[in-house]
Amino acid sequence: MSLDIEHIIVHSLFLDEQGQTQLATREQELATGPAVNQLMGELHHIYNTKAGKVFGYFSEEDTGFRDLVRRVQDQSLTFAAFSHLAAERLLGELHRLEMNEAGVLLFVRYQWLGAHYLLIALLDNKDSVTVTDKLEVSHASYLDLGRMQLAARLDLTELQTRPESRRYFSFIKGRAGRKVSDFFLNFLSCVEGMDPKAQSQGLLKAVDDYCESRQLSTEEKLESKALVSKYCRDQLKEGEELELRELSAELGRDDDLDFYQFVSEEYQLEERFPVDRSALKGLTKYVGSGGGLTISFDQKLLGERIQYDAATDTLVIRGTPPNLKAQLQSGN
């Protein structure tokens, strides 16, 4: 699927001799070509498949960044000028919070599948060595795209067509954690909206209730959950979101009740949302930990190899895994 780059520019955040973050800006946009196209193709794929993204929308209290977006959209600002003002805004937020960050600051507007996006990312610039064509060892720098931690994407099409939406912004919340909340979201005039993890947990509850309402047998229930798990994992693999109507079609109908109608009546699920990978385990496994003990097993094993006695709160496991058995027998 083609990705059309409309505007792209990079700037640099660096630490001066006093350890303070400073900004170096590029005046002109980058020209598109094989290297730029490859960079954006990789960034787009990594961003789409990155776990832990959260959605948001513009704050009503701080309209600074939204005003910049509006001005570049109505062409009262060039994209380069927009990026300069936005970069200065980010630098000001870092100084205000007395935080220091360094890296390549990228702004790109692109089109994919008919929608327009604005991606902003702070990328780590790493040092390494390479062997040249003349077989000489030389110093080299590269962008560590796989470890992208500070990035946000604004769906410009959704913002225009559904301004009331609470999910036209998405951003990565990885190891940076509070850093995102402290300065990156402030810089973007953004507040958190839809939480994919909460949506995914709601989906699991809805699937359980739907199976119960259809009075499925244990085997049929496990089959239905396996279908949901496969669909979700396929969407994750492709970097796509879960679509409730598509999932409903996968599960099929029972008389006049289908899954889409079922969740529409009682559950506050979005029409589409990214699946939280960690939540998927709850579809096919029982998982729990506490007190130094972690247990995970396929739900189909309960009642067969694994028995649970509620009265004594005891699990009985018949046929321990070979590697666990070897450790137990050796006393390790």
Side-chain angles (χ1 to χ4, degrees):
M1 298 179 182
S2 62
L3 184 151
D4 182 21
I5 301 172
E6 298 171 337
H7 303 278
I8 183 169
I9 194 169
V10 293
H11 306 302
S12 175
L13 291 177
F14 64 95
L15 302 183
D16 62 18
E17 293 181 355
Q18 287 72 44
Q20 297 293 313
T21 301
Q22 302 298 335
L23 173 67
T25 59
R26 176 186 172 91
E27 293 303 314
Q28 302 296 326
E29 295 180 28
L30 293 169
T32 57
V36 170
N37 291 337
Q38 181 179 351
L39 168 66
M40 267 312 299
E42 291 182 21
L43 271 177
H44 175 74
H45 176 73
I46 291 170
Y47 188 87
N48 275 2
T49 56
K50 195 82 170 177
K53 287 196 294 291
V54 179
F55 286 78
Y57 57 99
F58 278 124
S59 166
E60 295 182 359
E61 299 177 359
D62 178 6
T63 61
F65 188 80
R66 184 170 194 165
D67 289 341
L68 292 179
V69 171
R70 176 185 54 78
R71 291 175 63 190
V72 77
Q73 287 290 84
D74 66 19
Q75 298 183 347
S76 62
L77 269 182
T78 65
F79 191 80
F82 156 76
S83 73
H84 292 160
L85 292 172
E88 290 286 354
R89 177 181 168 86
L90 175 59
L91 181 66
E93 187 64 26
L94 285 170
H95 287 171
R96 184 181 71 83
L97 296 174
E98 299 182 346
M99 296 181 65
N100 295 311
E101 290 290 332
V104 174
L105 182 60
L106 177 140
F107 294 83
V108 57
R109 174 178 160 143
Y110 67 98
Q111 184 176 354
W112 183 65
L113 296 180
H116 295 273
Y117 297 96
L118 174 65
L119 177 67
I120 302 169
L122 184 60
L123 306 172
D124 287 339
N125 204 18
K126 298 293 187 181
D127 293 327
S128 184
V129 293
T130 186
V131 177
T132 68
D133 293 340
K134 296 181 180 181
L135 301 182
E136 297 287 344
V137 176
S138 175
H139 177 270
S141 295
Y142 69 97
L143 293 175
D144 192 359
L145 303 183
R147 296 178 65 82
M148 176 172 58
Q149 296 291 340
L150 287 174
R153 185 169 68 182
L154 174 59
D155 187 333
L156 296 167
T157 300
E158 179 148 353
L159 174 61
Q160 181 179 11
T161 58
R162 296 182 61 231
E164 76 286 355
S165 169
R166 295 170 64 89
R167 52 157 295 158
Y168 45 74
F169 252 121
S170 64
F171 56 93
I172 293 172
K173 287 191 72 173
R175 63 169 177 80
R178 291 302 306 170
K179 290 183 181 180
V180 175
S181 299
D182 285 342
F183 79 93
F184 212 61
L185 291 190
N186 292 341
F187 148 64
L188 296 168
S189 306
C190 180
V191 293
E192 291 188 28
M194 187 193 76
D195 184 347
K197 186 171 185 177
Q199 289 284 304
S200 298
Q201 291 171 343
L203 173 69
L204 266 60
K205 177 68 165 59
V207 170
D208 270 332
D209 293 349
Y210 180 64
C211 291
E212 291 296 329
S213 70
R214 294 176 65 184
Q215 298 182 328
L216 300 182
S217 66
T218 300
E219 184 176 346
E220 291 171 330
K221 185 176 181 180
L222 291 173
E223 289 176 357
S224 294
K225 287 187 172 185
L227 278 174
V228 175
S229 178
K230 181 180 184 304
Y231 170 80
C232 291
R233 294 187 185 282
D234 287 345
Q235 295 300 98
L236 277 171
K237 184 178 179 181
E238 297 298 322
E240 300 290 342
E241 297 185 355
L242 176 148
E243 300 272 355
L244 280 180
R245 290 186 183 275
E246 284 185 358
L247 177 57
S248 181
E250 292 284 332
L251 287 171
R253 297 178 61 91
D254 181 18
D255 298 327
D256 294 327
L257 180 68
D258 66 16
F259 183 69
Y260 183 81
Q261 292 172 323
F262 181 81
V263 297
S264 298
E265 294 172 0
E266 299 182 32
Y267 302 86
Q268 296 180 338
L269 294 179
E270 299 280 342
E271 290 280 328
R272 58 185 177 87
F273 57 88
V275 179
D276 181 71
R277 190 183 303 274
S278 62
L280 289 182
K281 292 181 181 179
L283 281 169
T284 57
K285 293 181 179 293
Y286 290 114
V287 181
S289 61
L293 181 67
T294 298
I295 296 176
S296 173
F297 60 89
D298 291 344
Q299 292 181 4
K300 64 182 180 181
L301 297 180
L302 187 63
E304 297 179 2
R305 287 175 54 193
I306 298 176
Q307 306 290 332
Y308 176 61
D309 186 339
T312 60
D313 192 23
T314 303
L315 275 180
V316 177
I317 302 174
R318 292 182 175 85
T320 55
N323 55 350
L324 175 59
K325 182 178 180 180
Q327 294 176 64
L328 294 172
Q329 289 176 335
S330 64
N332 294 329

